[in-house]
Amino acid sequence: MYEKSVLSECEMVTMRCVWNLGKNATAFNVINMLAEDYGLVYKETTVYTFLKKLKEKGFLDTFRRGVTYYVPKVEEAAYQKEMAKKLVKFWYNGDAAGAVADALEGEKLSHKEQKRVREALKKTGEA
């Protein structure tokens, strides 16, 4: 889907901050969120580099209103789905059932979560 969709772990968590911040994503806000929510303390220049790379890879756009704001060009849910499919293809040779079984092994799902899994499984059986 995205030509350069492979993100480093640092880029991924930076992108996550931008998604969470929405319209208010400035480098300053991202730096604070990285530290407060993820315990990652980076120099400003490092975060600017992450944001620049994300823009180069087509994940972000920018606009200025006094300061630079970062706007997602890629929806979080779309990226999650793409990465999940790549994971299944690479690590499980396309065996989605094996991936789901491994992911759920040892997990205690609420009734709501169980219902969601059942509904997803029903959809996969539809042609």
Side-chain angles (χ1 to χ4, degrees):
M1 179 183 245
Y2 314 106
E3 212 169 288
K4 299 177 183 177
S5 63
V6 177
L7 299 180
S8 71
E9 194 169 327
C10 296
E11 291 168 342
M12 220 177 321
V13 73
T14 301
M15 191 64 211
R16 190 84 187 268
C17 291
V18 174
W19 280 318
N20 289 340
L21 289 164
K23 298 176 188 175
N24 299 317
T26 64
F28 179 77
N29 291 340
V30 171
I31 290 166
N32 286 337
M33 185 175 272
L34 285 167
E36 292 172 12
D37 293 2
Y38 298 98
L40 299 170
V41 180
Y42 295 116
K43 291 182 181 180
E44 282 183 35
T45 54
T46 302
V47 175
Y48 280 112
T49 299
F50 296 154
L51 293 166
K52 179 183 171 196
K53 293 226 182 241
L54 288 165
K55 185 174 180 178
E56 289 170 358
K57 290 182 177 186
F59 282 79
L60 294 177
D61 208 352
T62 57
F63 69 92
R64 277 188 72 77
R65 286 219 175 94
V67 297
T68 301
Y69 289 87
Y70 297 87
V71 180
K73 287 178 68 176
V74 174
E75 290 184 29
E76 184 176 16
Y79 185 71
Q80 286 174 342
K81 286 180 184 178
E82 180 187 344
M83 291 299 100
K85 287 178 181 180
K86 282 185 175 188
L87 178 138
V88 170
K89 184 176 181 181
F90 182 81
W91 290 108
Y92 293 90
N93 295 317
D95 177 17
V100 171
D102 281 355
L104 295 179
E105 188 176 320
E107 295 292 321
K108 293 194 184 264
L109 301 179
S110 68
H111 291 292
K112 186 178 179 180
E113 291 169 324
Q114 290 175 27
K115 182 180 177 185
R116 186 173 175 207
V117 170
R118 278 193 297 276
E119 288 172 1
L121 289 172
K122 284 180 189 176
K123 285 181 185 178
T124 62
E126 296 173 1

